Amino acid sequence: MKNILLTTLLMPLAALSIQAATLTYPDVEQAREQAKQAGKPAVIIWYGSDWQQGIDAFVKDWQAVGTRHGNTCVFGTFDEKLGQERDRNKVLPIEHFNLPAVVLLAPDGSYMTELSGERLGNAADAMKKLTPLAAKATEFAALVEKARSSKGREAVAAAAQALAMLPMVDAMKQKELKKIINSQDPNDESGYRAQFCMDHLDMYREIQGILKGGKEGKLSGKERDFDAAEAYVRKVLNSRQLNGKDRRQQWLAGLSYVQRERILSTTTPQNRDVTPLLNTFREIVKLDPDSQLAIGAAKFLHYWDPNTFNTVKNGYYTRGHQTLGFEKDWHVDVTSSYKGPGTYTFSLVPVEKGNMSSRNFRVAVNGKVVGKADLPEDKNTKTVELNVPTLPEGATLEVWLTAQCHDGWMEASGFIRMEKK
């Protein structure tokens, strides 16, 4: 009886799965072969069958698009729900976690671009985005073949021309063409290696190798070859081949890394000039203020600029406020600890073994200094006494100090204690 009931309950689910809409296009391998024979690009629809939301409308729209563009493209499908692991690995040199996706292949089967997630949109919009690149698919395939069959500069030039046809995010995924450039031009005399073959981590490995004196280098600290590393990055930045805001931002970030390491390793807070570093950060932000690299550069710009200050609310500071290796002014809001005019003790109290130095304590009301500790400014002062006047209604009371972190980011936290005598 239990078995009969269970079967009855499962039948509607099975029926739903069987009736779920699926695309009628050939599978990936068949689509590749048809595209090759016809000399046309292939558009592969990578989707998730019946567990994908709105699957019926999705299938209907893509069948209609395939009908309209069938003369110029071969359409294929990869059903993630029905596909096997070996098939997925053969499909493309990319991995998808956000289905559905649409992939464009050249007539020879070479990967060109893909749209997924927010970039995908509806079927008509996606095809509108793919059409200009699909029109260049035959030319792209010819350049790929030329890169494969040539040597030296000719191979490098063909590979680079093919990569330049693609969006940079897709060019960076072209393992075969990148391998040709790396092998045929290892010293990057063309400039194409830096442009297309070195992603973010590769770039830093290259810079680190130069800093340390080569792959087997053992240099450390101020002994590292900062001049050679900076010269290398600037050569890349001056190359005519380094196109695109995102690539320039990445290499400028590499330059800022060399500049920061030089400053921290070879100077003291009293004798350092951070102007070149600040200019690099500003250039990153100017290229594209909304990019992730620019957002990060803006934070570093605030961190390193001696004319900015840290704002600390409610007296408690965390590792996010720290200045490792140099001093910075802090403006700490202590309004909640105010108990009328009088003399107060202000103390910097590190927690979690935070090693902080501090000096130059001042009291400010509404952003104006009204009192200062009578102590030598170069002394590492943890506790001072300051007179606090009567505050106007709604006023903000702050203690200002010059502080520096000495033990890294993870443990330097604490608070400013304000107690009335």
Side-chain angles (χ1 to χ4, degrees):
M1 179 66 183
K2 290 182 179 179
N3 289 338
I4 295 173
L5 178 60
L6 180 61
T7 302
T8 303
L9 290 172
L10 289 177
M11 281 181 65
L13 296 177
L16 283 174
S17 179
I18 293 171
Q19 295 172 4
T22 56
L23 287 165
T24 59
Y25 300 137
D27 63 25
V28 178
E29 292 307 313
Q30 289 178 314
R32 280 181 188 268
E33 186 59 33
Q34 290 179 20
K36 184 177 181 180
Q37 292 179 2
K40 297 178 181 179
V43 177
I44 308 299
I45 318 301
W46 193 336
Y47 70 118
S49 192
D50 55 308
W51 50 260
Q52 180 184 311
Q53 186 176 6
I55 186 64
D56 290 335
F58 177 84
V59 168
K60 181 179 178 182
D61 288 346
W62 275 106
Q63 290 288 172
V65 166
T67 300
R68 288 197 299 273
H69 294 270
N71 291 331
T72 57
C73 298
V74 172
F75 285 79
T77 183
F78 184 86
D79 189 331
E80 179 74 13
K81 182 173 180 291
L82 302 177
Q84 299 177 2
E85 187 66 30
R86 62 180 180 84
D87 295 322
R88 184 187 298 117
N89 291 336
K90 286 198 308 183
V91 175
L92 300 165
I94 55 177
E95 201 170 347
H96 280 296
F97 299 97
N98 190 10
L99 294 175
V102 179
V103 186
L104 177 66
L105 304 178
D108 66 342
S110 299
Y111 167 79
M112 293 187 71
T113 191
E114 59 96 9
L115 302 174
S116 63
E118 293 181 356
R119 294 181 65 206
L120 180 57
N122 59 44
D125 288 342
M127 201 61 206
K128 187 176 181 180
K129 296 174 185 176
L130 291 176
T131 298
L133 195 55
K136 303 176 182 179
T138 301
E139 180 185 356
F140 176 82
L143 287 168
V144 171
E145 179 55 34
K146 185 176 181 180
R148 289 169 178 163
S149 59
S150 303
K151 298 290 183 182
R153 290 179 177 271
E154 188 177 4
V156 172
Q161 289 174 44
L163 292 173
M165 296 175 68
L166 307 178
M168 183 57 67
V169 65
D170 296 304
M172 298 294 283
K173 298 174 184 176
Q174 295 282 342
K175 293 182 179 179
E176 182 184 6
L177 294 177
K178 289 164 62 176
K179 186 177 180 180
I180 289 172
I181 293 175
N182 278 325
S183 63
Q184 299 296 324
D185 188 12
N187 296 323
D188 201 19
E189 295 178 2
S190 65
Y192 290 125
R193 184 166 177 261
Q195 170 72 345
F196 295 114
C197 303
M198 300 174 69
D199 61 25
H200 204 62
L201 290 179
D202 289 331
M203 178 191 70
Y204 276 101
R205 291 190 192 101
E206 193 91 356
I207 293 172
Q208 282 281 42
I210 297 171
L211 276 175
K212 294 180 179 180
K215 293 182 178 180
E216 305 301 324
K218 303 295 183 182
L219 300 179
S220 62
K222 63 183 180 181
E223 297 176 334
R224 287 177 290 176
D225 198 342
F226 296 105
D227 288 340
E230 183 164 340
Y232 168 71
V233 179
R234 289 193 181 280
K235 179 182 176 182
V236 172
L237 288 168
N238 290 331
S239 170
R240 292 181 300 173
Q241 314 305 340
L242 193 68
N243 297 317
K245 293 179 180 179
D246 54 344
R247 293 301 284 155
R248 290 198 65 81
Q249 282 185 317
Q250 287 186 20
W251 280 95
L252 284 167
L255 176 61
S256 73
Y257 169 72
V258 178
Q259 292 171 325
R260 291 200 314 270
E261 289 297 303
R262 186 199 293 268
I263 289 171
L264 292 174
S265 300
T266 63
T267 66
T268 64
Q270 290 74 32
N271 71 353
R272 62 182 44 153
D273 178 13
V274 298
T275 304
L277 176 61
L278 299 182
N279 288 337
T280 301
F281 288 141
R282 291 188 183 106
E283 191 171 350
I284 294 173
V285 174
K286 184 178 179 180
L287 279 170
D288 184 1
D290 297 326
S291 70
Q292 288 301 310
L293 280 171
I295 292 170
K299 291 180 180 178
F300 273 113
L301 184 59
H302 170 82
Y303 181 89
W304 280 88
D305 189 343
N307 296 315
T308 63
F309 55 84
N310 283 336
T311 301
V312 182
K313 298 294 184 182
N314 301 319
Y316 185 81
Y317 62 89
T318 67
R319 62 180 180 269
H321 297 108
Q322 305 316 311
T323 48
L324 178 61
F326 59 95
E327 292 184 321
K328 198 174 193 69
D329 263 10
W330 293 18
H331 293 188
V332 184
D333 190 335
V334 290
T335 308
S336 61
S337 298
Y338 176 72
K339 294 179 172 55
T343 302
Y344 286 78
T345 300
F346 294 87
S347 302
L348 185 146
V349 185
V351 298
E352 301 294 340
K353 302 177 182 179
N355 183 8
M356 297 288 297
S357 63
S358 56
R359 62 180 182 85
N360 194 22
F361 282 72
R362 293 143 286 165
V363 164
V365 176
N366 288 337
K368 182 179 179 180
V369 174
V370 297
K372 184 176 180 180
D374 187 17
L375 292 167
E377 287 194 3
D378 60 348
K379 184 178 180 180
N380 182 5
T381 306
K382 290 292 194 296
T383 301
V384 300
E385 289 186 358
L386 290 164
N387 292 320
V388 179
T390 301
L391 295 186
E393 185 176 352
T396 298
L397 176 66
E398 294 177 320
V399 57
W400 293 4
L401 62 148
T402 305
Q404 181 178 348
C405 166
H406 299 283
D407 60 357
W409 290 84
M410 298 308 293
E411 294 183 343
S413 61
F415 55 92
I416 303 293
R417 178 185 292 147
M418 174 183 171
E419 297 177 308
K420 190 175 184 182
K421 293 192 68 175

